[in-house]
């Protein structure tokens, strides 16, 4: 899960004030890029797994959404200032964060996954000993590797995509990252799926939820009802298959 990222220029100037309180229907949802959860297509539209989930859940609850891409380092300030109504950006639910914000029910339980070349014999963490393994610096995947491997065996990257590029050309032996990112590269991303496979997924996970201001209890409840609805009717399963190639 994203924990620390390099500072980026805040794009607040591009964000219109929330209209949820005025119209009662359109919610401004702030996110930051984290494929396949959030991406930007060739037309600069915000897309991705998490974007489809929040859009579908909001629609089921009677809301429209406006998706806005901004920087992770300023995203909570955006919510606090009222310039967005919801954060949908792979935010881990923690006791510390719950002191200041409301969280929806979890929309995803992130685990760490290892991606290797198709011909690799890696099937577990012990098999990574003596190998060069990449991860995005400051993420849970990086922390997991630091606990399991010597520093010389870990390649730290500013962006997980750079780690996968090095894996593709053979500079490293494996990549450790959040399981949806791993599934996207192994199962869905063109130019990578024929070369890579998921080696294993860790058993321990951490839940991510959508974030609301403390005073927006009703909105949180509405989105929770929407989440329950899209799980019941199969929409959430279809979204996962679309972006990750798996319903599990």
């Amino acid at each position: 899960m994203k924990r620390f990222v390099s500072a980026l220029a805040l794009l607040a100037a591009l964000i219109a004030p929330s209209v949820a309180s005025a119209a009662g229907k359109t919610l401004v949802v702030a996110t930051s890029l984290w494929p396949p959860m959030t991406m930007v297509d060739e037309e600069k539209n915000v897309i991705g797994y998490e974007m489809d989930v929040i859009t579908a859940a909001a629609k089921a609850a009677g809301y429209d959404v406006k998706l806005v891409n901004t920087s992770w380092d300023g995203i909570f300030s955006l919510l606090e200032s009222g310039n967005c109504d919801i954060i949908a950006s792979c935010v881990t639910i923690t006791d510390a964060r719950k002191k200041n914000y409301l969280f929806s029910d979890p929309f995803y339980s992130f685990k760490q996954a290892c991606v290797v070349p198709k011909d690799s014999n890696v099937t577990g963490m012990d098999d990574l000993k003596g190998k060069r393994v990449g991860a995005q610096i400051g993420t849970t995947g990086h922390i997991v590797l630091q606990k399991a491997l010597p520093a010389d065996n870990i390649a730290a990257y500013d962006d997980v995509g750079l780690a996968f590029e090095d894996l593709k050309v053979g500079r490293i032996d494996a990549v450790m990252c959040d399981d949806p990112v791993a599934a996207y590269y192994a199962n869905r991303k063109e130019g990578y799926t024929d070369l890579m496979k998921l080696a294993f997924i860790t058993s321990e996970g951490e839940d991510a939820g959508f974030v609301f201001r403390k005073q927006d209890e009703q909105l949180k409840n509405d989105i929770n009802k929407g989440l329950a609805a899209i799980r019941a009717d199969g929409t959430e399963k279809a979204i996962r298959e679309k972006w990750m190639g798996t319903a599990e």
Side-chain angles (χ1 to χ4, degrees):
M1 182 57 57
K2 292 180 295 187
R3 293 188 186 276
F4 309 103
V5 296
S6 18
L8 300 170
L10 181 61
L11 303 180
L14 300 179
I15 300 172
S18 166
V19 297
S21 59
K25 288 294 181 182
T26 300
L27 304 172
V28 176
V29 178
T31 190
S32 58
L33 300 184
W34 190 244
M37 311 307 277
T38 306
M39 299 184 290
V40 176
D41 66 15
E42 294 179 355
E43 286 74 41
K44 305 302 181 183
N45 298 309
V46 183
I47 60 172
Y49 172 83
E50 190 175 357
M51 301 301 93
D52 282 359
V53 171
I54 187 59
T55 299
K59 182 178 179 181
Y63 295 95
D64 293 322
V65 299
K66 176 183 178 181
L67 304 174
V68 179
N69 175 35
T70 187
S71 61
W72 170 255
D73 59 322
I75 204 165
F76 287 94
S77 297
L78 212 61
L79 181 68
E80 293 163 5
S81 67
N83 282 308
C84 73
D85 303 292
I86 303 173
I87 296 173
S89 194
C90 302
V91 182
T92 305
I93 302 171
T94 66
D95 289 338
R97 284 173 174 161
K98 287 195 288 187
K99 291 179 181 179
N100 298 310
Y101 308 100
L102 298 178
F103 279 89
S104 69
D105 294 336
F107 73 88
Y108 200 97
S109 181
F110 289 90
K111 296 180 181 180
Q112 293 309 298
C114 180
V115 178
V116 296
K118 285 280 191 182
D119 60 356
S120 173
N121 59 5
V122 169
T123 59
M125 190 67 74
D126 288 343
D127 297 326
L128 295 178
K129 294 177 180 177
K131 297 187 182 299
R132 184 77 168 161
V133 187
Q136 182 171 331
I137 192 168
T139 62
T140 302
H142 188 219
I143 294 169
V144 167
L145 291 179
Q146 288 176 314
K147 292 179 180 178
L149 300 176
D152 289 345
N153 293 98
I154 302 171
Y157 296 84
D158 288 332
D159 184 278
V160 72
L162 298 177
F164 277 104
E165 287 181 15
D166 275 2
L167 179 63
K168 184 177 181 180
V169 298
R171 293 193 185 99
I172 58 176
D173 302 300
V175 174
M176 186 71 71
C177 59
D178 291 344
D179 63 302
V181 179
Y184 172 66
Y185 276 91
N187 300 331
R188 280 287 179 259
K189 187 167 177 60
E190 185 177 354
Y192 292 80
T193 57
D194 293 337
L195 304 174
M196 302 176 186
K197 65 180 180 180
L198 276 172
F200 64 90
I201 299 176
T202 61
S203 57
E204 295 182 0
E206 50 188 18
D207 292 332
F210 304 123
V211 190
F212 310 83
R213 289 180 292 271
K214 277 285 191 179
Q215 64 266 34
D216 289 337
E217 181 81 28
Q218 184 59 55
L219 178 57
K220 181 205 75 171
N221 293 339
D222 288 346
I223 296 299
N224 280 342
K225 291 176 182 177
L227 282 171
I230 66 172
R231 284 169 183 157
D233 68 9
T235 299
E236 183 185 48
K237 179 180 178 181
I239 293 171
R240 187 168 298 209
E241 289 176 338
K242 169 185 174 183
W243 289 104
M244 302 172 201
T246 174
E248 300 299 331

